[in-house]
Amino acid sequence: MSLARTILSVTMLAQTVRMAVPYACAALGGVWSERSGVVNIALEGTLLVSGLAAIVLQVATGSATVGAVAAIATGGLFALAHGLIVARERVDAIVSGIALNLVAAGGTRFVLRALYDSSSNSPAVAGFGVRLGAGASPEVALLVRTLADPLTLLTIVLAGATAFALYRTPFGLRARASGEDPQAAASAGVPVVKVRVLAVAIGGMVCGVGGAALAFDQHQFQSGMSGGRGFIALAAVILSGWRPLRAVLACTVFAALDALQIVLQDQSRLPREVIEMFPYAATLASLVVIGLTRGAGRPPAGLGKHTESA
Amino acid sequence: MNGERKTALLSTVAGLAAAWIAFDLLVFAYGESPRRLLALVFEGTWGSPYGAGQVLFKATPLLFTGVAVDLAMRAGLFNIGAEGQLAIGSLAAGIVGAMVPPWMPAPLAIVVVLGAAALAGGAWALVPAILRARFRAHEVISTIMMNRIAEATVGLVLGLGFALKGTVRTLDIAPAAHLPRLERFFPALRGSAVSVSLAFAVALALFVGWSYRRTRFGREVSLVGMNPVACAAERIAVRSRVAQAMILSGALAGLASSATVLGYKGYFEQGLGAGAGFGGLAVALIGRGSGVGLVLAALLFGTLQQGGLAINAYVPMELMDVIQGVVIMAVALADARVRDAIARSAKGAFG
């Protein structure tokens, strides 16, 4: 099979959608946080803790829906901590992110061992287990299952909802105002700290959907399974100029590279390690593109800035 | 200076208190007795010469990476890539160490091998350095990507014939390139893997700390980190200083291989020294810009790591990773509180 036919295949499309969901959710979470002015490298940890929460609750209750809700709640709480620490306590956002990522990486392994006596992976779960497309060829069935997965659909809804909420609602306006010029927003009566904490927490909930999707997709939790996706999503946010729909688009490109890696692994003569580097090298390349074009837009002017202390 | 000392003391107390509380809560939640396990932690670390030696062994690579991350932080950069720089540096140490010819005397062999490790680590930091200086790419993202690429590169290079057949490790390095273990000089440390590399790390931490005040390069790097705009106005080459700091940081991270490849295993294998890069972040954030502070922070996190092993039979040792994050957060929160209080009192005096 030629490379072009591989890239245009149904498998490739299905894998791309499948891989795009966690990226897109993390990126939307990043947009929420950063548009309100809070740098968020804790997305990586958010994916981990929410992914674990999804599995733990599905193992406990047998319900994928309960698992997904737990993931959303856990992601929200984890991001809430980041929001409070950064926006309210004014700790450097990168330092807070580093600390939270360490807590997430260690904490998820701790919980894995505490609950399942393994530091590498959880027992298997069914996820949502969509059973459509039974009669079709395996490739088409995968595509149908992926598209009909509740979390894929939720992600599409969340992309639209994030764009709508940020640009068309009073809260979105307040969040963006806090991110552009916190001092001016405060003068106009916007409770900047509260708005930021809330925006970061909402972002964490959206990112939590991605964590659940990541874990359900593998039908288990594996330690460190976020694999840098939170950071790649952040690169997508920057590439998009901090705009939600473009961020999702950028994520789809990164997901396509991931998918290419999966599709090529079976048939390429390139060493496995070279193929594994694709998404990361592509992220570096995208950073160059951002630098050359000054990105598709500038960062929120108040990113990382606070109001004058009261 | 006095105020700074007071802040450092307060933050240290906050960090240790938070570590203790987190330890108690997590151990209790796991259904074990915090008091008994704390006693085990002490016995396994500072309670015996062997335990103390193992703490020093664990602290050594952390001190190298801590000094490395701190250097970048001085220039205003978060080098989250120490993990990958260390991996590539260690790989280079393993490969070059195995090629050292038999006629080479030990001091020269060690310089050559560590030189290769530093060059490789520095080269790995070159990419984020260029991306930052030329394309304004945020180093947090680029260094994380380089970590992932490093992981794959190690596998790739080992697969290209540098590994012992059927394994994921290099050949043994030449005997001349080995760093002697401290047990040769202090018999009480028998069995522990701490090596001469520790003395090297401490000397490096103190020297680098000294150079920020006493050398032109060091002063410029720390000034650039404090106020790049003012430095540019003073015609300091800001961008190249920042890039140089990142590259040097990578080189220092590569030197951590002296504790693992040269002082411990005698070869490099996939995953050797993993975690020390992220541990170095913790050390740098807690040690905050003083050589002595970095040494103490490395000892603290070395103690946590070794203590984790001591209680692993009762509580998952990953507990200590959580505590590491908690300590960083507690110290940062205490710092922020003090900074705000100072800002408020200054406002009271002048506003």
Side-chain angles (χ1 to χ4, degrees):
Chain A
M1 203 189 329
S2 75
L3 187 66
R5 278 181 59 192
T6 305
I7 291 173
L8 294 175
S9 65
V10 178
T11 317
M12 178 74 192
L13 181 63
Q15 294 286 8
T16 301
V17 175
R18 201 187 122 225
M19 305 303 293
V21 170
Y23 282 128
C25 290
L28 289 169
V31 168
W32 267 110
S33 177
E34 303 219 334
R35 275 317 270 271
S36 81
V38 177
V39 175
N40 195 346
I41 64 164
L43 293 171
E44 183 77 9
T46 311
L47 283 175
L48 276 181
V49 294
S50 55
L52 180 62
I55 296 297
V56 169
L57 264 290
Q58 181 166 23
V59 169
T61 67
S63 157
T65 311
V66 174
V69 170
I72 293 168
T74 309
L77 284 175
F78 191 78
L80 179 69
H82 184 64
L84 285 171
I85 289 161
V86 176
R88 190 155 163 270
E89 299 297 323
R90 298 173 183 232
V91 167
D92 185 289
I94 304 282
V95 174
S96 171
I98 289 171
L100 284 173
N101 285 338
L102 279 173
V103 168
T108 47
R109 267 180 291 142
F110 180 81
V111 172
L112 271 184
R113 271 190 67 187
L115 293 180
Y116 311 123
D117 207 22
S118 154
S119 59
S120 59
N121 58 275
S122 74
V125 297
F128 277 101
V130 178
R131 289 191 202 289
L132 292 171
S137 67
E139 300 89 42
V140 176
L142 178 66
L143 182 63
V144 170
R145 278 204 309 275
T146 309
L147 285 175
D149 189 284
L151 294 179
T152 308
L153 300 173
L154 182 56
T155 303
I156 295 168
V157 171
L158 285 173
T162 297
F164 178 81
L166 271 178
Y167 295 113
R168 298 271 184 271
T169 67
F171 178 74
L173 178 64
R174 288 172 150 208
R176 283 184 296 126
S178 304
E180 280 304 322
D181 189 341
Q183 197 59 47
S187 310
V190 175
V192 172
V193 171
K194 272 188 200 159
V195 167
R196 283 181 165 176
V197 171
L198 197 55
V200 177
I202 292 172
M205 292 165 74
V206 178
C207 189
V209 175
L214 193 61
F216 282 165
D217 179 64
Q218 296 293 317
H219 296 287
Q220 61 169 218
F221 181 84
Q222 297 151 359
S223 73
M225 77 185 305
S226 51
R229 285 184 177 81
F231 292 96
I232 294 179
L234 209 52
V237 171
I238 299 170
L239 193 62
S240 74
W242 287 264
R243 279 171 284 204
L245 297 180
R246 290 189 192 197
V248 171
L249 192 66
C251 284
T252 313
V253 176
F254 285 121
L257 285 162
D258 260 355
L260 194 62
Q261 174 196 332
I262 296 169
V263 177
L264 282 185
Q265 215 141 46
D266 305 332
Q267 41 183 282
S268 163
R269 263 172 299 173
L270 283 173
R272 182 175 52 85
E273 287 90 353
V274 172
I275 297 172
E276 274 172 12
M277 290 178 197
F278 278 5
Y280 310 116
T283 306
L284 289 177
S286 78
L287 292 176
V288 172
V289 172
I290 294 165
L292 287 175
T293 59
R294 296 281 127 140
R298 57 174 185 79
L303 193 59
K305 290 189 189 139
H306 296 287
T307 55
E308 269 176 39
S309 57
Chain B
M1 202 63 204
N2 195 22
E4 251 173 58
R5 285 263 164 81
K6 233 187 250 173
T7 314
L9 186 68
L10 186 80
S11 306
T12 311
V13 172
L16 291 176
W20 191 30
I21 294 170
F23 180 87
D24 283 359
L25 286 177
L26 287 167
V27 169
F28 185 73
Y30 198 77
E32 289 283 346
S33 150
R35 184 185 297 197
R36 196 168 68 94
L37 290 197
L38 200 59
L40 280 179
V41 168
F42 178 76
E43 267 172 45
T45 55
W46 297 98
S48 72
Y50 168 77
Q54 284 300 94
V55 169
L56 297 174
F57 164 62
K58 303 267 180 194
T60 309
L62 292 178
L63 186 50
F64 279 108
T65 51
V67 173
V69 176
D70 180 60
L71 170 66
M73 220 179 271
R74 296 258 182 173
L77 297 169
F78 283 96
N79 180 12
I80 304 194
E83 190 77 19
Q85 293 144 12
L86 166 59
I88 296 296
S90 305
L91 175 68
I95 290 174
V96 174
M99 297 196 301
V100 165
W103 53 263
M104 209 181 256
L108 183 61
I110 289 166
V111 168
V112 166
V113 174
L114 286 183
L119 272 179
W124 210 250
L126 185 68
V127 176
I130 291 176
L131 284 175
R132 167 82 192 202
R134 290 262 161 256
F135 305 104
R136 297 176 172 213
H138 203 293
E139 72 282 358
V140 167
I141 297 175
S142 60
T143 50
I144 287 273
M145 296 306 124
M146 290 303 286
N147 284 346
R148 295 271 156 189
I149 296 175
E151 218 174 284
T153 303
V154 166
L156 184 67
V157 172
L158 286 177
L160 286 177
F162 287 100
L164 207 62
K165 259 212 161 50
T167 68
V168 287
R169 51 158 284 195
T170 62
L171 306 175
D172 287 324
I173 62 173
H178 279 268
L179 283 172
R181 292 192 179 185
L182 287 185
E183 63 182 4
R184 265 177 52 186
F185 314 106
F186 306 100
L189 293 172
R190 186 166 308 282
S192 115
V194 60
S195 69
V196 172
S197 173
L198 172 70
F200 180 30
V202 173
L204 186 74
L206 298 178
F207 170 75
V208 174
W210 171 85
S211 71
Y212 293 123
R213 278 169 285 130
R214 291 283 178 266
T215 68
R216 179 173 172 178
F217 177 79
R219 274 203 308 269
E220 284 192 4
V221 162
S222 36
L223 287 173
V224 161
M226 281 181 228
N227 192 339
V229 179
C231 286
E234 290 288 335
R235 300 209 181 151
I236 294 175
V238 174
R239 289 206 296 184
S240 61
R241 280 289 179 251
V242 168
Q244 286 159 358
M246 181 56 111
I247 295 164
L248 199 56
S249 177
L252 293 180
L255 287 180
S257 59
S258 65
T260 52
V261 177
L262 281 71
Y264 172 43
K265 286 282 187 183
Y267 55 82
F268 171 73
E269 66 183 340
Q270 204 159 30
L272 181 65
F278 292 119
L281 272 167
V283 170
L285 286 169
I286 305 302
R288 288 179 308 167
S290 97
V292 178
L294 290 172
V295 173
L296 292 175
L299 287 177
L300 169 67
F301 290 119
T303 308
L304 286 183
Q305 278 189 13
Q306 180 62 21
L309 290 174
I311 56 171
N312 196 29
Y314 304 93
V315 183
M317 64 179 175
E318 286 79 7
L319 168 79
M320 293 303 193
D321 295 339
V322 178
I323 291 180
Q324 189 166 312
V326 169
V327 170
I328 294 176
M329 199 62 100
V331 168
L333 280 168
D335 280 355
R337 276 286 161 95
V338 172
R339 193 191 54 217
D340 281 4
I342 292 170
R344 255 196 295 277
S345 68
K347 218 177 177 186
F350 300 111

